[in-house]
Amino acid sequence: MKLLKLFVAYEKDSDVKLLIMKGNGRAFSAGGDVAAVVQSVTQGHWTLGAEFFRNEYTLNYIIATYSKPQVSILDGIVMGGGAGISIHGRFRVVTEKTVFAMPETALGFFPDIGASYFLSRLPGFFGEYVGLTGARLDGAEMLACGLATHFVPSMNLTYLEDLLTKVETSDPFVICAIIDQFSKMVPLKVSSAYNRLDIIDKCFSKETVEDIISALEKESASMADEWIVVAIQELKKASPISLKITLRSIREGRLQGVDRCLMKDFRLCCHILRFEASKDFSEGCRAILVDKDRNPKWEPSRLDLVDSKVLDQYFAEVDDPNWEDLKLPSRCSLDVKFVSKI
């Protein structure tokens, strides 16, 4: 809420030419405190958690349609909600310390914060790979796929910030030129999954999660790449219903604007918080974040047990006459900032 108020105030302030977003510590942001959200739901009412997401998604939308340039300096971990307050902005600067992931399927949730908008716009089917497996990307991989706009060595960030704070214009080309002075191209590691985009496209373009896993297993029989083994392991460990929700959400995101993606996310999270068909979000948080036994008991326990009609309900309006869908503020600028290639 503090960030939301600041973004609204700074957009109206003519003295503010650009915004610099950075982390206060070793991480940029590891995301929202989802364990606290689940606790508030189990001890109180599902609407308590839903209001948190309503405010978060509103902030994401304001960032995505902001009239002034935002420079996000991602010098460390960027996950979940941390991606929501950075990837939607115009400039995303990564370093050798950057680690990006959307690990929600392991928690019984789904990549929200409008992720179906930017993941679906990555080259090929790389977005499905990142969203379903929760794969961790380094700075070079983020730059290669378009999640980042610039790679700046960490040691040069102080100099970059110093120049940016002296800018007296909101012209994105001027700001881009400043970042370009410190930016460099970096090669991908030999082991990077992005080097095998052909295999990723072949497998993750399949229609169902089951078919994706089968395709990966067939490929792994003839190649010993670590990324493909890890991908299969992560898919088999994740919540089955979360995987189904995630794949459908990303596929739909290709044909949706960022506003529709965020409104869809809000419906999905409301159904999840209501524990209508599954308590996987609560169970995932328990197993990964609270008890840390890393042994969640998913329900449904297998992909083939996920009812397609139940899945449809997750994408439908919440059946509660006292509840409202996400209503995003009207914006003068609909110049959405995320572009997978600059």
Side-chain angles (χ1 to χ4, degrees):
M1 287 305 296
K2 288 180 180 178
L3 274 177
L4 183 56
K5 290 173 183 175
L6 286 173
F7 267 88
V8 171
Y10 288 154
E11 193 165 33
K12 298 174 183 175
D13 189 339
S14 60
D15 290 333
V16 176
K17 304 302 180 184
L18 78 156
L19 275 68
I20 300 172
M21 182 85 79
K22 63 178 182 176
N24 183 24
R26 290 189 300 166
F28 172 79
S29 171
D33 191 350
V34 290
V37 171
V38 170
Q39 185 179 28
S40 72
V41 171
T42 54
Q43 293 180 355
H45 195 265
W46 71 272
T47 55
L48 298 175
E51 286 302 330
F52 164 78
F53 288 109
R54 189 191 296 275
N55 292 324
E56 182 182 20
Y57 299 164
T58 300
L59 172 62
N60 298 151
Y61 183 62
I62 286 174
I63 289 173
T65 57
Y66 211 61
S67 61
K68 297 178 182 180
Q70 175 182 333
V71 180
S72 299
I73 298 176
L74 310 177
D75 189 33
I77 293 171
V78 188
M79 294 184 181
I85 58 171
S86 57
I87 303 300
H88 291 297
R90 187 177 294 273
F91 300 109
R92 291 93 61 189
V93 178
V94 294
T95 75
E96 71 281 1
K97 298 178 182 178
T98 306
V99 179
F100 171 92
M102 296 298 291
E104 289 83 1
T105 59
L107 290 170
F109 202 56
F110 69 100
D112 62 329
I113 52 88
S116 64
Y117 179 78
F118 59 76
L119 289 178
S120 66
R121 284 159 176 78
L122 299 185
F125 292 85
F126 194 65
E128 276 90 338
Y129 163 69
V130 172
L132 290 168
T133 67
R136 295 190 170 203
L137 307 181
D138 62 21
E141 289 170 314
M142 289 182 70
L143 186 66
C145 75
L147 283 169
T149 59
H150 296 81
F151 185 105
V152 175
S154 187
M155 62 184 291
N156 291 333
L157 291 178
T158 302
Y159 306 111
L160 171 61
E161 282 187 59
D162 184 54
L163 280 184
L164 288 174
T165 55
K166 296 173 182 175
V167 167
E168 295 184 358
T169 177
S170 292
D171 186 338
F173 292 99
V174 172
I175 293 163
C176 187
I178 292 172
I179 306 173
D180 285 344
Q181 294 178 41
F182 300 92
S183 184
K184 58 183 289 189
M185 295 303 297
V186 285
L188 292 168
K189 293 177 182 175
V190 175
S191 60
S192 171
Y194 198 72
N195 287 321
R196 300 314 308 266
L197 192 57
D198 57 333
I199 301 298
I200 286 175
D201 287 351
K202 182 179 178 182
C203 296
F204 284 87
S205 61
K206 301 299 183 185
E207 189 173 343
T208 67
V209 179
E210 293 94 324
D211 289 342
I212 288 171
I213 294 174
S214 294
L216 286 168
E217 288 177 331
K218 189 177 293 185
E219 292 294 331
S220 70
S222 58
M223 60 187 294
D225 287 13
E226 184 183 3
W227 74 266
I228 203 167
V229 175
V230 172
I232 294 168
Q233 291 173 345
E234 294 304 318
L235 287 168
K236 290 186 173 181
K237 286 193 300 184
S239 158
I241 198 165
S242 291
L243 290 172
K244 295 268 189 176
I245 289 170
T246 298
L247 182 60
R248 177 167 166 179
S249 180
I250 294 173
R251 294 277 160 87
E252 288 186 1
R254 279 189 169 84
L255 301 175
Q256 295 171 328
V258 68
D259 54 345
R260 295 302 306 172
C261 287
L262 287 164
M263 287 187 273
K264 173 186 62 185
D265 286 353
F266 189 63
R267 284 189 177 184
L268 289 170
C269 84
C270 286
H271 286 293
I272 288 171
L273 293 175
R274 282 160 62 94
F275 300 142
E276 292 175 342
S278 172
K279 294 185 178 179
D280 278 6
F281 187 31
S282 175
E283 174 62 9
C285 286
R286 179 206 64 77
I288 307 299
L289 302 176
V290 181
D291 297 340
K292 299 183 180 180
D293 58 36
R294 307 193 75 81
N295 186 31
K297 306 298 182 187
W298 304 127
E299 187 60 43
S301 59
R302 301 196 315 266
L303 288 163
D304 62 309
L305 295 177
V306 179
D307 191 322
S308 60
K309 291 182 180 178
V310 170
L311 193 64
D312 289 340
Q313 291 173 8
Y314 274 85
F315 287 81
E317 190 174 354
V318 174
D319 186 16
D320 185 336
N322 298 316
W323 189 247
E324 283 190 339
D325 268 341
L326 178 65
K327 287 183 171 56
L328 294 167
S330 58
R331 304 284 289 152
C332 294
S333 169
L334 289 179
D335 175 22
V336 176
K337 305 303 181 294
F338 180 80
V339 182
S340 67
K341 286 293 179 185
I342 295 293

